[in-house]
Amino acid sequence: MKNALNIVYLIPLLPLVGFLINGLLRKHLSKSMISVVGCGTILVSFALSIVMFLQVKNGDGGTIEYFNFISVGELTIPFAFQIDQLSSLFLLIITGVGFLIHVYSTSYMQEEKPEHFGRYFSYLNLFVFSMLLLVMGANYVIMFIGWEGVGLCSYLLIGYWFKNNEYNKAANKAFVMNRIGDLAFLIAIFWIIAKTGGVNYGEVFAFAPKLSGTDATIITLLLFVGAAGKSAQIPLYTWLPDAMAGPTPVSALIHAATMVTAGIYMIARSNVLYSLSEVSMNVVAIVGLATALLAATIALKQNDIKKVLAYSTVSQLGYMFLALGVGAYSAGVFHVMTHAFFKALLFLAAGSVIHAMSGEQDIRNMGGLSKKIRITFITFLIGCIAIAGIPPFSGFFSKDAILLNALLVDSHDGSFSIKGIILYGVALFTALLTAFYMFRLLFITFSGTFRGTEEQKHHIHESPAPMTIPLIILAVLSIIGGLIGIPDAIVKGGDKFTEFLSPVIAQRAGHPVSHSTEYMLMGLSTVLVGITIIVAWRQYRNYKRKEATGFAKVLEDKWYVDEFYEKIIVKPLHNFGGFLKNVFEKLVVDGLVNGVGRMVNYGGRQFRLLQSGQVGSYVLLMVLSMVIIFLVQFFLRK
Amino acid sequence: MNALVISAVLGVVMMFSGILLKQKSAVRNVAIAGMVLLLIVNVLELCGNVFFNIDSKGMIEFDRFALLFNTIVYVSAILYLLLSARDMEKVGVNYAEYLALIFFILCGITLTSSFRSLLILFLGIEIISIPLYILTGSDKRNLKSNEASLKYFLLGAFSTGLMLMGIALIYGAQGSFDTTRVSSFQGTASPLLVAGMVLLLFSMAFKVSAAPFHFWTPDVYDGAPTVFTSFMATIVKAAVFIAFIRLFDEAFGTLQSQWQLLIAIITVATLFIGNITAVFQQSVKRMLAYSSIAQAGFMMLALYAMNADAKEGLLLYVTAYSLATIGIFAVLIKMKDYTFEGFNGFAKQQPLLAATTTICLLSLAGIPLTAGFLSKFYMLKAALGTGKHLWLVIFAVLMAAVSVYYYFRVIQAMYFKDGEVQKIDVSPAFKWTLVVVTALVVLLGVFPNLLLNWYYF
Amino acid sequence: MPITHYIILSLALFSIGIVGVLTRRNAIIIFMCIELMLNAVNLLLVAFSKMHNYAAIKAAADQKLPITEAILNTGSEGQIFVFFIMVVAAAEVTVGLAIIVMMYRNIHSVDVNFLNRLKH
């Protein structure tokens, strides 16, 4: 088994080969050939990832150096891969979920021309390659290379349907916001080099205790800005919902299951550094929680099936950051895994719905689909239950771990701190919102009566097997995926997940709460989520378009209790969501981005005027600057 | 010494070839063969076979650094000729003369990379500049070309005056033009020496188009025939940078505390003006002119740092920059419309050319896995190595982020916008050469040591 | 005459050249001002050459050393440099005047303010 590490380079290499074949020969290959190359390479990578995972499980992970990538002076950066618990887990998620999405895509993109089909698969493979590079790299520079790569691929894939100007704008937005994050990451790398003299994880973390507090804070905050860009946190989150312009499988792969978790990976990887800075931890937790809440409220008001899922992704990512911020790194990573399952499932199921509805994405035009597309409905339902956090579905365990850890922050001797209670309360509220908007989406889409056109109705059909089989597999994973992380309170030693990660992730020396308290908390969240789902069911199971119903029908509808909910809970929340969307997003976030742009714009115009085209003014400016420099040189220096 | 003699002889040969050979393709073949010959003799010298051992009284010394840089220059020049030599025919009738001038410029470059005396530096710079004035104005009927040429000439001659005054003052202080004797002084440096150093700094900053001495660059690069802009912006600029770093390393190394702050100021100004102004250009050619200023700002970081990493990094940087820019210009020359809109829909018509241009642009923007990323990384690492002015590094990173905007405008036009590009016809040989250029850019981005190992052997 | 006088004279000539470049609009006059700058440098170089020569001979005489050929030749490189400057300046004149003539043919003027097609 030991020598399996020798072929670890094949894991990223195969998708790269797939990219080259599909990219260069796309005009000469048939669609089926392209599919085979695209999916096959990922499948083999997945198989190899399993081998690596087993190897790591046996304690045989390690770092493999290939060649000296950069050697400047005393700084040596090897091109090396690090296979340990954290990276092997991400490998499994990326290649596993990635493979399913590739298979799904072969059917979903079937109507494209062979040339575009090839281009699509080549980008997809390139994306998987970059993502693998990101998690396998043994130092920050390799991580950065993968980091840039996924940003680039995301840009290419969002702009995939480049005819549409809107998509172009979305692609640009995604790129710019990612670049802001990348920039902070790059500066962080240089800061790390300046202070620790290395970039290899081993060296940096070994040096970490000698870092000064300020340096640790600056580095971790910069890294966090980078992570916020990639993982769509406040204020760099608006690109993710817009990025839904890309094809649905792309949304599933990039904007739900893998790329956006890069930020989580980075912070979990750097947990040694984060543990040094209380400030950074607080910032991560608060920004994460704020994002989770903000995105969840916005999701309440969305009517585009993909937009709801997009905001839900932002919200769930916020959850993961909350976990990281309270020091529960393994809970965060656990949520990454379960989220990858159920979010990929939800997106692919949404793709299946869109497919069935001939491209319609507005849920107000759907309804009553549950009988017509049975498999899609059931899998979507499973996804919703999983994300809402009903035991024993996967989302329950990861979400519960995060909630518990949030509550336990700063706790002493069984009593909870104020901070912990606030974090817990807001996080629980967000979880309820999540359940509400997800089931709203489910009921509006699948129950009630059909509200689309006759033509659409006629056309509704279940998707072909290459689309449904990945759905079923993901649904099964969404159900059972959480079982590897059962808290100790239920099954002694059930938390295999944390145990597995423990060599690479520092454990909190917390005071575990008593089992009875834990049971109570679990029960509380489950009951509240259950109530929320019932509310959503009553509210939306017979959803009718407002503009289609008219006043008479409202009277006919005797659900005063609905009206009550509508007025007391739903309306304010809707308004609040709308307020945040319009005011916060438009004014604050976009205003900030545009403001910087305008400043650069203004400055640039002024500087252009210096280039007057007149030789005389050029000489004058040169002579003036010469005089100034001479003055600086001879008089202003000590 | 091999390449120096051969390049001068080849210049003369090219002038005669214009008379003796009737066909332009024959002239071109002679030029390319000559360039290959230059490369071969230079590599032979790198391996220790010197044919011409002329006693220069210690004024010229071909060390590893110089020879390696010359090799880079000749490889770039061969690629340049393969890609663009055909397009020189469109500029004017004096085809052989243009090529002859290019060989003379290479002779000047060989001098500037190996000087040990300020006299040779002066001669090298002038041998580069004077043919460039001619090449800039070679499109005689074109008013823009005229204007660019006259501006370049007047400002260039002015900066020559500054350089000579600087050299004279240094001579007065040190009594020699020899770089090692310039750098050796007892006690504090005399004001004459410092003033001379500052004047030389001005004139070299002018030649590499560092702010605030960059004003000629956009106008000249824009006005000159595009084939020659390509040459000026890449090989020539690289050569002057190598001269710059040699001068400040060998002659003024002992004065570092005097000039380090000045160079930091110039670096910041160059990065800022180059990047910010490039954002607002409508023409890709002019954008590339500003981008060359911005890239110069990055190369100035090597001067600022002035350690072993910096010299090594600068070699990598000039290689990455020259290759990528030659690749982009080679495609630009073929275009009829130089505006950004002119590139709309280019990817549909010429997928291969669009792909190579994209990779070259990515390299200039410093995206990983291209040579551009690593070279920027080397520069920043070298600047960090000085242990002070961390803000300079952060500023440079910020500016690199701005640069992404204007490079991506071209990529966006090519891939994401629809438009009718006028049909351009390119030979398969042209395409393959471009692929080679791009492959080199990527190869150096993954294995930079392929190049840098030559430096140490 | 002490060397400072030569330095001041040269710098004065040099500055007159710079001011000329700054203020004049006629390309030929600008060019002549640049030539003035170069000649200021020539003057300075010759003066420094003589200075170094004198200093070397004086130092040898003071230390009672034999005056060798090498000592007599000290400073000669400054004068050699002047010849190089003359040659290069001549080459520049040839090219520069050709460019000015080319411009005159096209726009019938040698006023540099007409050169403003390329800007921003």
Side-chain angles (χ1 to χ4, degrees), chain B residues 118-120 122-123 126 129-130 133-134 137-151 153-162 164-177 181 192 199 218-220 222-224 277 281 286 290, chain C residues 7 10-11 14 17-18 21 27-28 30-31 34 37-38 40-42 44-46 48-53 74-81 84-85 88-89 91-93 95-97 99-100 102-107 110-112 114-120:
Chain B
L118 299 181
L119 173 62
I120 299 296
F122 164 68
L123 284 180
E126 285 304 304
S129 298
I130 295 176
Y133 303 148
I134 304 172
S138 54
D139 194 355
K140 286 190 287 188
R141 303 265 166 254
N142 185 337
L143 286 185
K144 279 190 170 183
S145 177
N146 283 187
E147 177 180 340
S149 158
L150 188 57
K151 274 181 180 168
F153 169 70
L154 289 177
L155 294 169
F158 180 74
S159 94
T160 303
L162 296 180
L164 285 173
M165 182 47 102
I167 292 176
L169 293 178
I170 291 166
Y171 177 66
Q174 300 300 107
S176 171
F177 299 113
R181 286 193 44 203
L192 275 186
L199 280 170
D219 293 2
V220 172
D222 196 5
T277 327
Q281 299 308 315
R286 214 169 159 80
Y290 279 103
Chain C
I7 296 179
S10 296
L11 284 182
F14 193 76
I18 290 183
V21 173
I28 294 179
I30 292 179
F31 188 37
I34 292 171
M37 288 163 67
L38 297 189
V41 172
N42 284 346
L44 191 57
L45 277 171
V46 174
F48 278 138
S49 163
K50 184 67 195 158
M51 178 190 86
H52 290 307
N53 181 274
T74 314
S76 57
E77 65 263 43
Q79 295 178 32
I80 294 167
F81 204 118
F84 274 101
I85 294 179
V88 169
E92 269 192 354
V93 170
V95 171
L97 285 181
I99 291 171
I100 294 173
M102 180 176 72
M103 177 191 168
Y104 184 77
R105 274 199 196 151
N106 282 326
I107 62 173
V110 288
D111 189 334
V112 292
F114 284 115
L115 302 175
N116 56 2
R117 244 158 234 281
L118 299 162
K119 59 184 171 189
H120 298 312

Side-chain angles (χ1 to χ4, degrees), chain A residues 67-70 72-73 148 162-163 168 172 175 179 183 190 601 604 607-608 611 613 618 625-626 633 637, chain B residues 151 202 212 215 219 257-258 262 272 276-277 280 309 367-368 374 380 397 401 404 412 416 446-449:
Chain A
F67 56 89
N68 228 349
F69 188 38
I70 301 176
V72 208
E148 288 276 296
F162 53 77
K163 298 277 187 314
N168 262 322
N172 270 350
F175 193 73
R179 281 303 297 187
L183 197 61
F190 282 112
N601 207 328
F607 271 100
R608 271 179 71 193
Q611 194 74 33
Y618 293 171
S625 14
M626 276 155 53
Q633 181 69 28
R637 294 164 66 101
Chain B
K151 274 181 180 168
F202 293 157
F215 294 105
D219 293 2
S257 58
Q258 299 274 346
L262 295 188
F272 185 76
I276 295 294
T277 327
F280 297 95
D309 307 349
I367 302 290
L374 277 189
L380 294 172
V397 173
V404 172
Q412 210 181 6
F416 294 166
V446 184
F447 305 102
N449 289 339

Side-chain angles (χ1 to χ4, degrees), chain A residues 418-434:
Chain A
I418 307 274
K419 185 176 144 197
I421 292 170
I422 294 174
L423 289 181
Y424 175 79
V426 179
L428 183 62
F429 179 62
T430 309
L432 300 183
L433 289 182
T434 308

